[in-house]
Amino acid sequence: MNQKELFIISLTIFLTVIIWIIADLNHLSHTEQLPKNDPRFARPITATIDTEIFNQLEAKN
C-alpha cells in the first residue's frame, strides 16, 4: 500500500467521521425536547394494605 492509497483511505475515514458528527448535531437540534415533568406525576404513591384479606386467605388454606 503506497502513500497515496493510505492518504485516500485516511481522508475518506476522516470525512465520514466529520459528516457523521455534523449529521448527529443537526438531528439533535431538530428533535423535539421532552416536556417538563408534571408535578401531579411526581407525587409518591401511597398504598394501604388490608391485612384482613391475608387472614381470610390463610383461613382457606
Side-chain angles (χ1 to χ4, degrees):
M1 182 182 311
N2 60 18
Q3 286 187 348
K4 185 177 180 181
E5 290 174 343
L6 185 61
F7 174 73
I8 292 172
I9 292 171
S10 299
L11 184 64
T12 304
I13 292 172
F14 177 75
L15 290 177
T16 302
V17 170
I18 295 299
I19 291 170
W20 191 340
I21 291 172
I22 291 170
D24 192 34
L25 290 174
N26 185 31
H27 174 71
L28 185 64
S29 68
H30 286 90
T31 54
E32 184 177 331
Q33 299 296 324
L34 293 176
K36 297 289 181 191
N37 287 341
D38 191 355
R40 294 178 298 159
F41 302 123
R43 286 183 278 166
I45 298 174
T46 56
T48 56
I49 298 174
D50 187 10
T51 56
E52 183 61 32
I53 294 173
F54 293 119
N55 294 335
Q56 290 175 2
L57 289 173
E58 282 182 358
K60 287 184 180 181
N61 225 351

